[in-house]
Amino acid sequence: MFSWNGYSVHGDVKELDAIMETHDPINLDKDDIVSVLSSEGENWVTAASHARIDEAYSKAVLSLPFTIDKIHKVLIGFRFGLKKPSMADMSKVTFAISKLTKGVEIKWGMSSDETLGETFKVVLLVSAKS
């Protein structure tokens, strides 16, 4: 377990710093991160990359150590490299997100990162019930 600004977090907290460093139109910020971290439950950060954004999202979700029914708050950071996600792939992501339990608070943002090349990266920050 690690600490990020005084909050206990499982996973790579450097991903939270990377979220804060983005300045794109659909941006997440420190307040968004703190709103998830300050809720009751355990905090987890997972990330996954793939050539398709929907697959990156699925891999990030599958790397959580619990099922999605335990989540009560989630922040999703989508990053794209040299190519933007297609509407078809984003529709698949939207459908997958809709599977989260009703009442889950969801915040999301999208940013560019040319270092990703032709891949996409999805970072999840979740607060989960014990």
Side-chain angles (χ1 to χ4, degrees):
M1 186 171 327
F2 299 95
S3 179
W4 187 86
N5 284 5
Y7 295 97
S8 296
V9 182
H10 299 273
D12 188 357
V13 294
K14 290 182 261 178
E15 294 292 355
L16 302 179
D17 294 329
I19 287 172
M20 287 188 35
E21 293 170 3
T22 62
H23 302 290
D24 287 307
I26 306 174
N27 213 40
L28 295 166
D29 60 24
K30 183 178 181 178
D31 291 338
D32 295 322
I33 295 169
V34 168
S35 102
V36 174
L37 294 176
S38 62
S39 62
E40 286 188 34
E42 287 191 76
N43 300 310
W44 291 82
V45 177
T46 64
S49 299
H50 196 275
R52 290 185 17 210
I53 198 163
D54 57 316
E55 289 295 325
Y57 172 79
S58 294
K59 287 174 61 175
V61 169
L62 290 172
S63 66
L64 290 168
F66 44 80
T67 57
I68 61 171
D69 63 323
K70 301 285 187 203
I71 297 171
H72 61 97
K73 281 194 177 185
V74 62
L75 177 143
I76 309 168
F78 297 101
R79 294 189 204 145
F80 59 91
L82 301 175
K83 65 178 183 176
K84 293 182 180 176
S86 71
M87 290 304 288
D89 285 342
M90 285 309 295
S91 292
K92 291 175 187 173
V93 172
T94 303
F95 178 74
I97 291 171
S98 73
K99 291 181 181 179
L100 289 174
T101 308
K102 289 186 181 198
V104 172
E105 183 179 324
I106 301 171
K107 296 177 183 279
W108 67 276
M110 185 168 292
S111 60
S112 62
D113 179 353
E114 291 183 2
T115 65
L116 292 173
E118 297 290 320
T119 63
F120 298 94
K121 185 172 192 176
V122 176
V123 176
L124 298 179
L125 169 62
V126 301
S127 179
K129 303 170 202 163
S130 303

